[in-house]
Amino acid sequence: MADSAEREEGLAFLPKFGPDGLATCVAIDAAQGDVLMVAHMNAEALQATLDTGIVHYWSRSRGSLWRKGDTSGQTQRLVELRVDCDQDAFLAFVEVGGDGGACHTGRRSCFYRRVERRDGETRLAFVEVAPA
Amino acid sequence: MADSAEREEGLAFLPKFGPDGLATCVAIDAAQGDVLMVAHMNAEALQATLDTGIVHYWSRSRGSLWRKGDTSGQTQRLVELRVDCDQDAFLAFVEVGGDGGACHTGRRSCFYRRVERRDGETRLAFVEVAPA
């Protein structure tokens, strides 16, 4: 077990996965700089991402390795991978193939709604519409 | 249980927490647009964030509600909260108090190292140094 100084200030890559074997990965459009999606990687997905330069996730819903874009064409070519202080979260700066989107709803980003509070009620409002 | 169409295309706020009661929240500097940190919220932290306009997380290491900045002064004033397609991840666009940083190591962002591969070896390289 690496101690926290080594993990936080060292140059050794010591990725830390949760009790479920997963770490969070935030995909960022390398050209535009905004967040496209948040997903999860297990050790296998992380390794496949580094080995191939194409971002792989672990699909929690399907329980399987998921090379993003295999069905949608929205592949994510890895431009840069960053790791956080305690090495349990990643930022993947990516170049997106296909139509440039990331969300299965057809939108570019999964974060297409904002949370609004009005008169004590919490509702959502769209910031990005679905493609026609 | 909300169905997925309602969750993905509706205006009802139906946050979904994992088996551990947590959802991922990515904090983004509202002025600069880059990612500062990735943390977790439970229902109580999310509610407190919306009620106060100051970002609260759930500290997994301490097992307690965590109003970011209480000890560091690095409070995060919520500018906008976004939710993803299946409502289990959030982006918090924030205005940071104190020295403007978010990382307990003294750096502005927790993502101060990138993962590099050279000659088959995976190592880290610093992209942001620690303050003197």
Side-chain angles (χ1 to χ4, degrees):
Chain A
M1 193 72 152
D3 70 10
S4 80
E6 185 185 355
R7 198 178 283 282
E8 294 179 358
E9 299 297 336
L11 296 178
F13 185 43
L14 303 164
K16 196 164 76 178
F17 300 94
D20 54 3
L22 302 177
T24 301
C25 181
V26 181
I28 295 176
D29 186 300
Q32 301 198 36
D34 60 333
V35 172
L36 295 171
M37 60 184 283
V38 169
H40 297 85
M41 285 181 174
N42 63 356
E44 184 187 5
L46 176 62
Q47 190 63 47
T49 299
L50 292 169
D51 284 346
T52 64
I54 302 295
V55 180
H56 290 62
Y57 299 103
W58 177 257
S59 168
R60 293 189 297 180
S61 55
R62 292 191 297 269
S64 63
L65 187 68
W66 166 34
R67 191 175 75 161
K68 172 77 179 158
D70 265 354
T71 53
S72 65
Q74 298 170 331
T75 50
Q76 299 183 342
R77 193 182 70 77
L78 186 67
V79 175
E80 183 170 316
L81 188 70
R82 293 217 191 149
V83 64
D84 77 344
C85 43
D86 57 357
Q87 302 203 32
D88 68 353
F90 304 99
L91 299 188
F93 291 84
V94 302
E95 201 178 79
V96 183
D99 63 5
C103 186
H104 75 286
T105 67
R107 297 172 181 89
R108 192 175 151 268
S109 166
C110 294
F111 293 90
Y112 50 83
R113 289 171 298 183
R114 68 167 172 264
V115 181
E116 289 192 335
R117 271 213 148 172
R118 267 189 213 154
D119 308 321
E121 214 195 348
T122 307
R123 302 277 291 168
L124 302 180
F126 282 87
V127 291
E128 180 185 342
V129 295
Chain B
M1 192 72 151
D3 69 11
S4 80
E6 186 185 354
R7 198 177 283 282
E8 294 179 358
E9 299 296 337
L11 296 178
F13 185 44
L14 303 164
K16 196 165 75 178
F17 300 94
D20 54 2
L22 302 176
T24 302
C25 181
V26 180
I28 295 176
D29 186 301
Q32 301 198 35
D34 61 333
V35 172
L36 295 171
M37 59 184 285
V38 169
H40 297 84
M41 286 181 172
N42 62 358
E44 184 188 3
L46 175 63
Q47 191 63 47
T49 299
L50 291 170
D51 285 346
T52 64
I54 302 295
V55 180
H56 290 63
Y57 299 103
W58 177 258
S59 168
R60 292 188 298 180
S61 55
R62 292 191 296 270
S64 63
L65 188 67
W66 167 34
R67 191 174 74 161
K68 171 77 179 159
D70 265 353
T71 53
S72 64
Q74 298 170 331
T75 50
Q76 298 184 343
R77 192 181 71 75
L78 186 67
V79 175
E80 182 171 317
L81 188 69
R82 293 215 192 152
V83 64
D84 76 345
C85 42
D86 56 357
Q87 302 204 32
D88 68 353
F90 304 99
L91 300 187
F93 290 84
V94 302
E95 202 178 77
V96 183
D99 62 6
C103 187
H104 75 286
T105 66
R107 297 173 182 89
R108 193 176 151 269
S109 166
C110 294
F111 294 90
Y112 50 83
R113 289 171 297 183
R114 68 165 172 265
V115 181
E116 289 193 333
R117 271 211 148 172
R118 267 190 214 155
D119 307 323
E121 214 195 348
T122 307
R123 301 278 290 168
L124 303 179
F126 282 87
V127 291
E128 181 185 341
V129 296

Coordinates of all heavy atoms in Angstrom, one line a residue, chain A residues 52-96:
Chain A
T52 N -4.1 1.4 -26.1 CA -4.7 1.6 -27.4 C -4.8 3.1 -27.8 O -4.9 3.4 -28.9 CB -6.1 1.0 -27.6 OG1 -7.0 1.7 -26.7 CG2 -6.1 -0.5 -27.2
G53 N -4.8 4.0 -26.8 CA -5.0 5.4 -27.0 C -6.5 5.7 -27.3 O -6.8 6.8 -27.7
I54 N -7.3 4.7 -27.2 CA -8.8 4.9 -27.4 C -9.4 4.7 -26.0 O -9.1 3.7 -25.3 CB -9.4 3.9 -28.4 CG1 -8.7 4.1 -29.8 CG2 -10.9 4.1 -28.5 CD1 -8.9 5.4 -30.5
V55 N -10.3 5.6 -25.6 CA -10.8 5.5 -24.2 C -11.8 4.3 -24.1 O -12.7 4.2 -24.9 CB -11.5 6.8 -23.8 CG1 -12.0 6.7 -22.4 CG2 -10.5 8.0 -23.9
H56 N -11.5 3.6 -23.0 CA -12.4 2.4 -22.6 C -12.9 2.7 -21.3 O -12.2 3.3 -20.4 CB -11.6 1.1 -22.5 CG -11.1 0.6 -23.9 ND1 -10.2 1.3 -24.7 CD2 -11.4 -0.6 -24.5 CE1 -10.0 0.5 -25.8 NE2 -10.7 -0.6 -25.7
Y57 N -14.2 2.4 -21.0 CA -14.8 2.5 -19.7 C -15.3 1.1 -19.3 O -15.2 0.1 -20.0 CB -16.0 3.4 -19.8 CG -15.6 4.9 -20.2 CD1 -15.9 5.3 -21.5 CD2 -15.1 5.7 -19.3 CE1 -15.6 6.6 -21.9 CE2 -14.7 7.0 -19.7 CZ -15.0 7.5 -21.0 OH -14.7 8.7 -21.4
W58 N -15.7 1.1 -18.0 CA -16.4 -0.1 -17.6 C -17.9 0.3 -17.5 O -18.3 1.2 -16.8 CB -15.9 -0.5 -16.2 CG -16.7 -1.7 -15.6 CD1 -17.7 -1.7 -14.7 CD2 -16.5 -3.1 -16.0 NE1 -18.2 -3.0 -14.5 CE2 -17.5 -3.8 -15.3 CE3 -15.7 -3.7 -16.9 CZ2 -17.6 -5.2 -15.4 CZ3 -15.8 -5.1 -17.0 CH2 -16.7 -5.8 -16.3
S59 N -18.7 -0.5 -18.2 CA -20.2 -0.2 -18.2 C -20.8 -0.8 -17.0 O -20.8 -2.1 -16.9 CB -20.8 -0.7 -19.5 OG -22.2 -0.7 -19.3
R60 N -21.3 0.0 -16.0 CA -21.9 -0.6 -14.8 C -23.2 -1.2 -15.2 O -23.6 -2.2 -14.6 CB -22.1 0.5 -13.8 CG -20.8 1.1 -13.2 CD -21.0 2.0 -12.1 NE -21.7 3.2 -12.5 CZ -22.1 4.1 -11.6 NH1 -21.7 4.1 -10.4 NH2 -22.7 5.2 -12.1
S61 N -23.9 -0.6 -16.2 CA -25.3 -1.2 -16.5 C -25.1 -2.6 -17.2 O -25.9 -3.5 -16.9 CB -26.1 -0.2 -17.3 OG -25.4 0.1 -18.5
R62 N -24.1 -2.7 -18.0 CA -23.9 -4.0 -18.8 C -23.0 -4.9 -18.1 O -22.9 -6.1 -18.4 CB -23.4 -3.7 -20.2 CG -24.4 -3.0 -21.1 CD -24.0 -3.0 -22.6 NE -22.8 -2.3 -22.8 CZ -22.7 -1.0 -23.1 NH1 -23.8 -0.3 -23.2 NH2 -21.5 -0.4 -23.3
G63 N -22.2 -4.3 -17.1 CA -21.2 -5.2 -16.5 C -20.1 -5.7 -17.4 O -19.7 -6.9 -17.3
S64 N -19.7 -4.8 -18.3 CA -18.6 -5.3 -19.2 C -17.8 -4.1 -19.7 O -18.1 -2.9 -19.5 CB -19.3 -5.9 -20.5 OG -20.1 -4.9 -21.1
L65 N -16.6 -4.5 -20.2 CA -15.7 -3.5 -20.8 C -16.4 -2.8 -21.9 O -17.0 -3.4 -22.7 CB -14.4 -4.2 -21.2 CG -13.2 -3.3 -21.7 CD1 -12.7 -2.5 -20.5 CD2 -12.1 -4.1 -22.3
W66 N -16.1 -1.5 -22.0 CA -16.9 -0.7 -23.0 C -15.9 0.2 -23.7 O -15.5 1.2 -23.1 CB -18.0 0.1 -22.2 CG -18.7 1.2 -22.9 CD1 -19.0 1.3 -24.3 CD2 -19.2 2.4 -22.3 NE1 -19.7 2.4 -24.5 CE2 -19.8 3.1 -23.4 CE3 -19.2 2.9 -21.0 CZ2 -20.4 4.4 -23.1 CZ3 -19.8 4.1 -20.8 CH2 -20.4 4.8 -21.8
R67 N -15.7 -0.1 -25.0 CA -14.9 0.8 -25.8 C -15.8 1.8 -26.4 O -16.6 1.5 -27.3 CB -14.1 0.1 -26.9 CG -13.1 1.0 -27.5 CD -12.2 0.3 -28.5 NE -12.9 0.1 -29.8 CZ -12.3 -0.1 -30.9 NH1 -11.0 -0.2 -31.0 NH2 -13.0 -0.4 -32.0
K68 N -15.8 3.0 -25.8 CA -16.8 4.0 -26.2 C -16.7 4.3 -27.7 O -15.6 4.4 -28.2 CB -16.4 5.3 -25.4 CG -17.1 6.6 -25.8 CD -18.5 6.6 -25.3 CE -19.2 7.9 -25.7 NZ -20.7 7.8 -25.7
G69 N -17.9 4.2 -28.4 CA -17.9 4.5 -29.8 C -18.1 3.2 -30.6 O -18.3 3.3 -31.8
D70 N -18.0 2.1 -30.0 CA -18.1 0.8 -30.8 C -19.4 0.7 -31.5 O -19.4 0.2 -32.7 CB -17.9 -0.4 -29.9 CG -16.4 -0.9 -29.9 OD1 -15.6 -0.3 -30.7 OD2 -16.1 -1.8 -29.1
T71 N -20.5 1.2 -30.9 CA -21.7 1.1 -31.6 C -22.1 2.5 -32.1 O -22.8 2.6 -33.2 CB -22.9 0.6 -30.7 OG1 -22.9 1.3 -29.5 CG2 -22.6 -0.9 -30.3
S72 N -21.8 3.6 -31.4 CA -22.2 4.9 -31.8 C -21.3 5.6 -32.8 O -21.6 6.6 -33.4 CB -22.3 5.8 -30.6 OG -21.0 6.0 -30.0
G73 N -20.0 5.1 -32.9 CA -19.1 5.8 -33.8 C -18.4 7.0 -33.0 O -17.5 7.6 -33.5
Q74 N -18.9 7.3 -31.8 CA -18.4 8.4 -31.0 C -17.1 8.0 -30.2 O -17.1 8.0 -29.0 CB -19.4 8.9 -30.1 CG -20.7 9.5 -30.9 CD -21.8 9.8 -29.9 OE1 -22.0 9.2 -28.9 NE2 -22.6 10.8 -30.3
T75 N -16.1 7.5 -30.9 CA -14.9 7.1 -30.3 C -14.2 8.3 -29.6 O -14.3 9.4 -30.1 CB -13.9 6.5 -31.3 OG1 -13.8 7.4 -32.4 CG2 -14.3 5.1 -31.8
Q76 N -13.5 8.0 -28.6 CA -12.7 9.1 -27.9 C -11.2 8.7 -28.0 O -10.7 7.9 -27.3 CB -13.2 9.2 -26.4 CG -14.7 9.5 -26.4 CD -15.2 9.7 -24.9 OE1 -14.6 9.3 -24.0 NE2 -16.4 10.3 -24.8
R77 N -10.5 9.5 -28.8 CA -9.1 9.3 -28.9 C -8.5 10.1 -27.7 O -8.7 11.3 -27.5 CB -8.6 9.8 -30.2 CG -7.1 9.4 -30.5 CD -6.6 9.9 -31.8 NE -6.4 11.4 -31.7 CZ -5.3 12.0 -31.1 NH1 -4.4 11.3 -30.5 NH2 -5.2 13.3 -31.2
L78 N -7.6 9.4 -27.0 CA -7.0 10.0 -25.8 C -5.9 11.0 -26.2 O -5.0 10.6 -26.9 CB -6.4 8.9 -24.9 CG -5.9 9.4 -23.6 CD1 -7.0 9.9 -22.7 CD2 -5.1 8.3 -22.9
V79 N -6.1 12.2 -25.8 CA -5.1 13.3 -26.1 C -4.2 13.4 -24.8 O -3.0 13.5 -24.9 CB -5.7 14.6 -26.4 CG1 -4.7 15.7 -26.6 CG2 -6.6 14.5 -27.7
E80 N -4.8 13.4 -23.6 CA -4.0 13.5 -22.4 C -4.9 12.9 -21.3 O -6.1 13.1 -21.2 CB -3.7 15.0 -22.1 CG -2.8 15.1 -20.8 CD -2.3 16.5 -20.6 OE1 -1.8 17.1 -21.6 OE2 -2.3 17.0 -19.5
L81 N -4.2 12.2 -20.4 CA -4.9 11.7 -19.2 C -4.3 12.3 -18.0 O -3.1 12.3 -17.8 CB -4.7 10.1 -19.1 CG -5.5 9.4 -18.0 CD1 -7.0 9.5 -18.4 CD2 -5.1 8.0 -17.9
R82 N -5.1 12.8 -17.1 CA -4.6 13.4 -15.9 C -5.2 12.6 -14.7 O -6.3 12.0 -14.8 CB -5.1 14.9 -15.7 CG -4.4 15.7 -16.8 CD -4.0 17.1 -16.2 NE -3.6 17.9 -17.3 CZ -3.8 19.2 -17.4 NH1 -4.4 19.9 -16.4 NH2 -3.4 19.9 -18.4
V83 N -4.5 12.6 -13.6 CA -4.9 11.9 -12.4 C -4.9 12.9 -11.2 O -4.2 13.9 -11.2 CB -3.9 10.7 -12.2 CG1 -2.5 11.2 -11.9 CG2 -4.4 9.8 -11.1
D84 N -5.8 12.7 -10.3 CA -5.9 13.6 -9.2 C -5.0 13.3 -8.0 O -4.3 12.3 -8.1 CB -7.4 13.8 -8.7 CG -7.9 12.7 -7.9 OD1 -7.3 11.6 -7.9 OD2 -9.0 12.9 -7.3
C85 N -5.0 14.1 -7.0 CA -4.1 14.0 -5.9 C -4.0 12.6 -5.3 O -2.9 12.1 -5.2 CB -4.4 15.1 -4.8 SG -6.2 15.2 -4.4
D86 N -5.1 12.0 -5.0 CA -5.0 10.7 -4.4 C -5.2 9.5 -5.4 O -5.3 8.4 -5.0 CB -6.0 10.5 -3.2 CG -7.5 10.8 -3.6 OD1 -7.7 11.2 -4.8 OD2 -8.3 10.7 -2.8
Q87 N -5.1 9.9 -6.7 CA -5.1 8.9 -7.8 C -6.3 8.0 -7.9 O -6.2 6.9 -8.2 CB -3.8 8.1 -7.8 CG -2.5 9.0 -7.9 CD -1.3 8.3 -8.4 OE1 -1.4 7.4 -9.2 NE2 -0.1 8.7 -7.9
D88 N -7.5 8.6 -7.5 CA -8.7 7.8 -7.6 C -9.7 8.4 -8.6 O -10.8 8.0 -8.7 CB -9.3 7.5 -6.3 CG -9.9 8.7 -5.6 OD1 -9.7 9.8 -6.2 OD2 -10.6 8.6 -4.6
A89 N -9.3 9.4 -9.3 CA -10.1 10.0 -10.4 C -9.3 10.5 -11.5 O -8.1 10.9 -11.3 CB -10.9 11.2 -9.8
F90 N -9.8 10.4 -12.7 CA -9.1 10.8 -13.9 C -9.8 11.8 -14.8 O -11.1 11.8 -14.8 CB -8.9 9.5 -14.8 CG -8.2 8.4 -14.1 CD1 -8.9 7.4 -13.6 CD2 -6.8 8.4 -13.9 CE1 -8.3 6.3 -12.9 CE2 -6.2 7.4 -13.2 CZ -6.9 6.4 -12.7
L91 N -9.1 12.6 -15.5 CA -9.6 13.4 -16.5 C -9.0 12.9 -17.8 O -7.8 12.8 -18.0 CB -9.2 14.9 -16.4 CG -9.5 15.7 -15.2 CD1 -9.1 17.2 -15.4 CD2 -11.0 15.6 -14.9
A92 N -9.9 12.6 -18.8 CA -9.4 12.2 -20.1 C -9.8 13.3 -21.1 O -10.9 13.6 -21.4 CB -10.1 10.9 -20.5
F93 N -8.7 13.9 -21.6 CA -8.9 14.9 -22.6 C -9.0 14.2 -24.0 O -8.0 13.4 -24.3 CB -7.8 16.0 -22.7 CG -7.8 16.9 -21.4 CD1 -7.2 16.5 -20.2 CD2 -8.4 18.1 -21.5 CE1 -7.2 17.3 -19.1 CE2 -8.4 18.9 -20.4 CZ -7.8 18.5 -19.2
V94 N -10.1 14.3 -24.7 CA -10.3 13.5 -25.8 C -10.7 14.2 -27.1 O -11.2 15.4 -27.0 CB -11.5 12.4 -25.5 CG1 -11.1 11.6 -24.3 CG2 -12.8 13.1 -25.4
E95 N -10.4 13.5 -28.2 CA -10.8 14.0 -29.5 C -11.9 13.0 -29.9 O -11.7 11.8 -30.0 CB -9.6 13.9 -30.4 CG -9.6 14.7 -31.7 CD -8.3 14.5 -32.4 OE1 -8.2 13.5 -33.1 OE2 -7.4 15.4 -32.3
V96 N -13.1 13.6 -30.2 CA -14.2 12.7 -30.4 C -14.4 12.4 -31.9 O -14.4 13.3 -32.7 CB -15.5 13.3 -29.8 CG1 -16.7 12.3 -30.0 CG2 -15.3 13.6 -28.3

